[in-house]
Amino acid sequence: MSGLASLFSRLFKGGGPKSAVGLSIGSSSIKLVELAKSRGGWRLLHFGMVALPPDAIVNREIVNPVAVTESLKQLTGAMKLSTHRVCSSISGNSCIIKRMQLEVPNAKEIQDQVFWEAEQYLPFDPTEVVMDYQLLSYSKDKRADVLLVAIKRSILETYMSCIEDAGLQPSVMDVDYFAIQNAFESNYPLQPTESAAVIDIGAASTKIAVIHQGVPVFTKDSALGGQNLTAEIQRHLNLPFADAETLKTGASGGAVPQEVNDLTQVFAENLAREIKRTLDFYLASATGPSVNYLLLCGGSAQIPQLSRVIEEVTGLPTQVLNPFNAISYDPAMFTADYVSSIGSMATVPIGHAFRAGEAK
Ligand SMILES: Nc1ncnc2c1ncn2[C@@H]1O[C@H](COP(=O)(O)OP(=O)(O)OP(=O)(O)O)[C@@H](O)[C@H]1O
Ligand SMILES: [Mg+2]
């Protein structure tokens, strides 16, 4: 269980490299970002993405590793990265993140006790799981507050093989929640009394992390994502997937049929209600603080009315997260319009790049 565990470790900090690459293997596309560390902070060097065939990742598991590797090779071939070391992640049901409070008489025994207790309730065979944890605090009365991450070994190995076969080196494997937390914290100052929910709305999923005092105090993954809306448009207008996607994203440039607008509104309301239910569940079951505001990221955060609808349904201030608040860029290389157009999709890989920049 410990062999691959260090890959998850978020505990080592400082003295990182000058350039950092974050990689997100999403259900619909692969995104890569390279940032450079300078005295004034981080600067955008490269961003690229490539669409994946629809059968490459199903239920957030790689079912066609060859397609993923080939797409990743295509992307790295088109980008001139200055390092092959990347931070990437895994998400989905094979990945569990849990906060635990334990009584541990001796600080040296924290790891053993965390892993032993975790095995009691993990829904997987412990021998098939890779675990790591972050110690949040260890009090004088011998209570350890830890954040546990557990993932199915076979899933982790498939992701790592694809990354390695594409010629990259997975120096850190994280979970998507930590990436959105990193992207949020590096761009938005949060008061110690405040908490924010960061919501990654992708193609096949919506991931919610409530962040408070530097910790994701609550996380939830739902299987509702932008591809559900594309499927509805496909069904109602009897179109192939690609055409429905073009209509949905406004990429056609022409007038959007009223039916598409109506379906988009229904999707936004359903998603907003799902988010409200999740936040209500968090508030009812957790002793954690209430949520002050919501920030959206992921490609589907670009649905024009989504933040307004979520704000109306949840009653909480909502906006789209801008991961470039704290990242500069060379206007000779990127236009402001381009940078703003990639923000939502780039948030997760930027969070990984920040993490890669911390790692030794
Ligand atoms: N302008 C837009 N308007 C509406 N939806 C958009 C727009 N641009 C992209 N999307 C949607 O965003 C989704 C892709 O987002 P993202 O790249 O964050 O997902 P992913 O990481 O591939 O998926 P997941 O995180 O669920 O595994 C797709 O469903 C796509 O249709
Ligand atoms: Mg994603």
Side-chain angles (χ1 to χ4, degrees), residues 333-347:
M333 285 173 69
F334 307 102
T335 66
D337 280 354
Y338 173 75
V339 170
S340 110
S341 74
I342 61 170
S344 297
M345 309 258 208
T347 301

Side-chain angles (χ1 to χ4, degrees), residues 122-142:
L122 282 179
F124 314 124
D125 179 340
T127 60
E128 292 173 4
V129 170
V130 178
M131 287 196 275
D132 197 12
Y133 73 97
Q134 186 176 2
L135 181 63
L136 302 174
S137 66
Y138 185 55
S139 64
K140 280 193 191 125
D141 59 353
K142 312 281 183 199

Side-chain angles (χ1 to χ4, degrees), residues 304-317:
Q305 65 268 53
L306 192 57
S307 50
R308 180 180 48 77
V309 173
I310 293 175
E311 182 161 306
E312 280 166 10
V313 171
T314 61
L316 290 167

